[in-house]
Each structure stands twice: as structure tokens, then as C-alpha cells.
Amino acid sequence: MTPSCSLFGIKTGLIHQGEEILPLLLLGLKKQELTLIDGDILVIAESALATAEGRLVGLTGVTPSKEANELAIQYELDPRLAEIVIRESDEIIGGIPGFLLCTSNGNLLPNAGVDGSNAPEGMVSLLPADPNMSAKKIRDDIFQLTGASVAVLVIDSRTHPMRYGCSGVAIGCSGIPSVLDERGKKDLFGRELKVTRRAIADNIASAAELLMGEADEGVPVVLVRGLEIPVGNYEGVEQIAAEECLFMGIISKNAQNRCQ
Amino acid sequence: MTPSCSLFGIKTGLIHQGEEILPLLLLGLKKQELTLIDGDILVIAESALATAEGRLVGLTGVTPSKEANELAIQYELDPRLAEIVIRESDEIIGGIPGFLLCTSNGNLLPNAGVDGSNAPEGMVSLLPADPNMSAKKIRDDIFQLTGASVAVLVIDSRTHPMRYGCSGVAIGCSGIPSVLDERGKKDLFGRELKVTRRAIADNIASAAELLMGEADEGVPVVLVRGLEIPVGNYEGVEQIAAEECLFMGIISKNAQNRCQ
């Protein structure tokens, strides 16, 4: 049996602050004559979830700290944006004009996920408060409402070192393992694979982004059907320890030099 | 019209050194009763292409240099592997046990793409010599043989900072733009997007990896059908300048400290 899968973009229309995302999602599926089945994977853009969760901050009420003003000058940012980025970050590691590189909850991400795109004028959106928990709640609610055992991913769009353009990463995951550990499996020549962990949640995130776009397309959800990934009680995006990360050993040596 | 797409894994059987990949690919498609049509995107694993191109090096004939021996001790590598990595790299930036972080032809990648998985015993595989050119040749040959105007990607599997597991990146591209530049497009609220370049080739690479696996699956090619991406005379994976890269400014500051 040769593997195959299908992806369907789901239109929900504009999602407003404080609105429940699930009814809009189910309505979108119905309009497209799609019925959820066991094993389906629903991929939700973090910007849509963040808006629904009311994760918007107005810039006008924000007073920049001294550190925010310094970062704003150094990296050509709105000082109020810099202030919100500081509040959302565990650490600011460095930057280039327009962006600060931050860590937040074990993730490495530009501007700590604070984003002015697809937010109303004068506002910025923060990342969803707890994307793993939101994914689990939507998955549980879908099971209650439809009886289908699906997986739910919440995804973001990120740049990667020396890659031009953004691609998808999973920031919330419920119902599938985020990473498949294939150590112990054999390669084509029958030898045991040494290091092979497949970031399937990130791969699904990137696949879904192909249909989402990032502008005014209004396709915040993608249904992925046919992947032979076991759906069950898996929770969370598996994280890597900084000392296991090929990049962080090098990046972190410079962390203490920031803002000098 | 709501966007959708389909992916089909194509089985070719084991590819041997020096074998032409295209006849195996076309035979695989035929066996699965798939006929190529305009706009199709064929995604080929770099390991399959590298094997076909004979990009295998035996470890026994390699004499490690002094630098290779030092790196081998510091990062717990086979000194012969370290030697080959040095030869394939423009620069070695650092490492963790088992891996060196290298630059090669504007790319940042572990062990300069030198890989012992899916290569015969005692051998390692190098990256294809010129993946963009190989992609173009396969695309041109397909047009000659079938009349279909398709795009061809050559893909690799990489780790990203603070992400657990590997996901797909494109290292060769012919027939579609590798990055869609959406600056000037409007967001959901009608404002111009500031920075939005979509790495569609990397996203397609990641999507294809979901069907390929990395072990003994023997699915080195994936057909992606239905994406509304214009297929035409686009060549190459667009590269980013180091000074535009959010990560490299920080990483490169430490490059001069390597091996001290």
C-alpha cells in the first residue's frame, strides 16, 4: 500500500475577538460538505486562535521601559512593541533591524510571537496563552460533538537560520505524537538508524501553511486526511533541551553580550 | 473556491549507485496508475538522488588531517567522517557530540550533509553535487518524455534551533519560485503586510517528508497535486544573505572561537 494524503483548506470567515473558534470551524466544514472521521488532523493558525482568545494588546496604553527604549533604538522597533516583546519573553538573545530573537516557554522565536499582521489597527496579537491546552480542548469538544477521534495542531510561521522565507511549526498539539522517534528502525541497508526523530507535527504545520497563506485568504484551518499516524491520547509539542540543540550551544554563548 | 491538494508517495524500489532516477520514477508512477499533468510537483529525497549520482565515499580510503582528528575528539566523531565533513564545508561553525554545524554553498547544515544512513556499510553519502541543476534536468526530461510541465524539488531533512526532530527543507528547485514574496499584499484588516515571504519550497519539502519516512520505507519520491502555485521557468532555491538572517548575526559572532 503506497502512502497518500489529502489536505483541505477550511474557510471560516473573519474571526472576531472573543468568538468561539469551534462552531465556525464546524460550520466551515459543513459548508464544504466535509464530515470529520477518526484519524483526521485539524490544523489551526495561531493567529486565528489568538484572536478568538482575545490575545490582542493595544499599543497606545503601553509605556516603554528604559530597556525597551534601548532595544527600540538598537533594532529600529516601535518602543511600545519592544516593551510587549520584553514582557512576553523569557530572554532576549539578540536581533536584527525590525526583529528581536527571544526565548519564550522553551521556544526560540522572533519578537516572542508578538505580531502586528492580521490584528486590528493599533493592536498587536500575542501567541495563544496555552496552545497545547487549546488544542486538547478543541479535540475533546469535537469528540463530544461529532464522535470523531481527531488530532488538533496549533501552528505558527517562523524563519529558520539561513533559510529565506517562513515555514510552519507546531506550537500546540493534541492527539498525535509531535515527534516520531525512529531510533532502532532499520535503514534501506538493514542497519539501525542512529539519529532519526521525525518532527511530524512541524511537517504537518508546513504542509497546512501551503493552503493557508498569510494574508487575506481567510483560510485559518486545514483538514489533513489519510496520513497513517496513530491518533490517541498524545499531548503537547515535545521540546528539546538547549544542550541537545546543535544551534543553541553556539547561540547561547553570545546571549550574555546582548545590549552592549 | 477552497484550496485543496493531494500527495502521493511513489515507490521506486532500492536505487543503486549510478542508476538513472527518472526511469525508476516514471515506472513507479505507472505502477500506481498516476499520469503526470501540468502543475504537478515532484519531490525527490536528496539521499536517493545522491545515490543515483554515485555520491558515495568509502571511509576506509580516507586519511584524517590534524584538524579532523581534533574535531573528532572534541565532538566524538569518526575522524574519517570529520575529514570528509571538512572537505565538504565552507566553514565549520561549532558542534555538539556527533555533529558539526557547517556552512556549505550558503546553507547551514549538520555535518555538511555527509550522512551514513541509507548508504551501504562503510560508506557515507554526500549531498547531490548540484541539486538545482539536477532538479532542472529531471524537469526538462519529464517535459520531453511526457509533455507535462511539472516542477521538481530535491529535499533534505534538517534540525532547526530548539525544535525536536527533523523536518524538510528544499535544496534544489526547478519550475516554481522557492519563496513567494507577499510584501504589498493586504492582511485581513486591509493593511499592507510588512514582512511576509513564504518558503513554499520548504513547506512542500516538509509535506512530502510525511509520506517518505526516513528508514526502510523506500518512498523516495512524492507527487504533490492541486497546489495553485504557478509552474514555469523558475530556477533555484532563493538564498538569504547572512546579514539578513536573524540567527546568523548571533551565530557568526562565535564562529571565530571554534576549536579553541
Side-chain angles (χ1 to χ4, degrees):
Chain A
M1 179 63 187
T2 315
S4 66
C5 70
S6 302
L7 282 77
F8 305 92
I10 310 298
K11 289 195 177 182
T12 62
L14 193 62
I15 293 167
H16 299 91
Q17 196 166 353
E19 215 164 5
E20 282 273 343
I21 210 164
L22 184 54
L24 297 171
L25 190 164
L26 294 174
L27 186 63
L29 286 164
K30 197 176 172 187
K31 279 187 185 165
Q32 292 173 233
E33 298 176 4
L34 289 163
T35 305
L36 291 174
I37 58 175
D38 288 355
D40 279 350
I41 301 170
L42 281 167
V43 186
I44 302 173
E46 67 78 17
S47 54
L49 183 63
T51 302
E53 288 182 355
R55 298 279 291 165
L56 294 167
V57 176
L59 289 173
T60 45
V62 175
T63 307
S65 62
K66 182 167 171 287
E67 188 187 1
N69 280 315
E70 286 170 0
L71 287 170
I73 291 165
Q74 188 173 1
Y75 296 113
E76 301 168 25
L77 291 165
D78 184 321
R80 300 167 303 174
L81 175 65
E83 175 62 30
I84 299 169
V85 171
I86 291 170
R87 292 179 195 171
E88 291 292 308
S89 300
D90 299 327
E91 188 173 19
I92 293 168
I93 291 173
I96 58 168
F99 291 97
L100 299 170
L101 184 61
C102 310
T103 58
S104 175
N105 296 322
N107 286 303
L108 190 69
L109 73 176
N111 287 350
V114 181
D115 187 10
S117 300
N118 293 320
E121 186 65 34
M123 312 280 276
V124 291
S125 61
L126 312 181
L127 289 179
D130 188 338
N132 286 318
M133 189 59 76
S134 299
K136 178 171 166 43
K137 185 172 184 326
I138 293 169
R139 166 173 145 78
D140 289 347
D141 288 350
I142 286 172
F143 185 74
Q144 291 296 325
L145 290 166
T146 72
S149 177
V150 305
V152 175
L153 299 184
V154 178
I155 72 161
D156 195 2
S157 192
R158 302 261 173 89
T159 53
H160 300 292
M162 290 307 289
R163 301 303 297 175
Y164 198 65
C166 292
S167 52
V169 296
I171 63 169
C173 182
S174 178
I176 55 168
S178 63
V179 176
L180 284 186
D181 192 336
E182 301 202 326
R183 287 173 300 174
K185 278 185 84 170
K186 301 281 195 283
D187 73 12
L188 279 170
F189 294 86
R191 294 178 310 185
E192 198 161 298
L193 291 173
K194 280 187 185 154
V195 180
T196 301
R197 300 189 187 93
R198 295 169 61 198
I200 50 170
D202 284 349
N203 280 340
I204 295 168
S206 291
E209 265 208 7
L210 289 164
L211 300 187
M212 282 181 179
E214 288 197 50
D216 60 356
E217 283 88 350
V219 179
V221 179
V222 169
L223 169 61
V224 181
R225 177 167 288 171
L227 285 179
E228 286 167 31
I229 296 171
V231 168
N233 292 323
Y234 303 95
E235 301 300 340
V237 176
E238 202 169 349
Q239 301 211 327
I240 190 170
E243 60 269 23
E244 270 193 81
C245 171
L246 181 56
F247 299 88
M248 280 308 281
I250 301 165
I251 291 175
S252 62
K253 286 179 198 158
N254 261 24
Q256 60 267 45
N257 298 331
R258 72 183 175 87
C259 307
Q260 286 181 348
Chain B
M1 180 64 188
T2 316
S4 66
C5 70
S6 301
L7 282 78
F8 305 92
I10 310 298
K11 289 194 177 182
T12 61
L14 194 60
I15 293 167
H16 300 91
Q17 197 165 350
E19 215 165 4
E20 282 274 341
I21 210 165
L22 185 55
L24 297 171
L25 189 164
L26 293 174
L27 186 64
L29 285 164
K30 197 175 174 188
K31 279 187 185 164
Q32 291 172 233
E33 298 177 6
L34 289 164
T35 305
L36 291 174
I37 56 175
D38 289 352
D40 278 351
I41 301 170
L42 281 167
V43 186
I44 302 173
E46 67 76 19
S47 55
L49 183 62
T51 302
E53 288 183 355
R55 301 277 293 165
L56 294 167
V57 177
L59 288 173
T60 43
V62 175
T63 308
S65 61
K66 182 166 172 286
E67 188 187 0
N69 280 316
E70 287 170 0
L71 286 170
I73 291 166
Q74 188 174 1
Y75 296 113
E76 301 169 26
L77 291 165
D78 185 321
R80 301 167 302 175
L81 175 65
E83 176 61 31
I84 298 169
V85 171
I86 291 169
R87 292 179 193 170
E88 291 292 308
S89 299
D90 298 328
E91 188 173 22
I92 293 168
I93 291 174
I96 59 167
F99 291 96
L100 300 171
L101 183 60
C102 311
T103 58
S104 176
N105 297 321
N107 286 303
L108 190 71
L109 72 178
N111 287 351
V114 181
D115 187 12
S117 300
N118 293 321
E121 186 65 35
M123 311 281 275
V124 291
S125 60
L126 312 182
L127 289 180
D130 187 340
N132 286 317
M133 188 59 75
S134 299
K136 178 171 165 43
K137 184 172 183 330
I138 293 169
R139 167 173 145 76
D140 289 346
D141 289 350
I142 286 172
F143 185 73
Q144 290 296 325
L145 290 167
T146 72
S149 177
V150 306
V152 175
L153 300 184
V154 178
I155 73 161
D156 194 4
S157 191
R158 302 260 173 89
T159 54
H160 300 291
M162 291 307 288
R163 302 302 298 176
Y164 197 65
C166 293
S167 52
V169 296
I171 63 169
C173 182
S174 178
I176 55 168
S178 63
V179 176
L180 284 186
D181 191 337
E182 302 201 326
R183 287 173 300 173
K185 279 185 80 169
K186 300 281 193 285
D187 73 11
L188 279 170
F189 294 87
R191 294 177 310 184
E192 199 162 295
L193 291 173
K194 281 188 186 152
V195 181
T196 302
R197 299 189 187 94
R198 295 168 62 198
I200 51 169
D202 284 350
N203 280 340
I204 294 168
S206 291
E209 265 208 7
L210 289 164
L211 299 187
M212 282 180 178
E214 289 196 53
D216 60 357
E217 284 88 351
V219 179
V221 179
V222 170
L223 168 62
V224 181
R225 177 167 289 172
L227 284 178
E228 286 166 32
I229 295 171
V231 168
N233 292 324
Y234 303 96
E235 301 301 340
V237 175
E238 201 168 350
Q239 299 210 331
I240 191 170
E243 61 269 22
E244 270 193 83
C245 171
L246 181 57
F247 299 88
M248 280 308 280
I250 302 164
I251 290 174
S252 62
K253 286 180 197 157
N254 260 26
Q256 60 267 45
N257 298 331
R258 72 184 176 89
C259 305
Q260 289 182 347

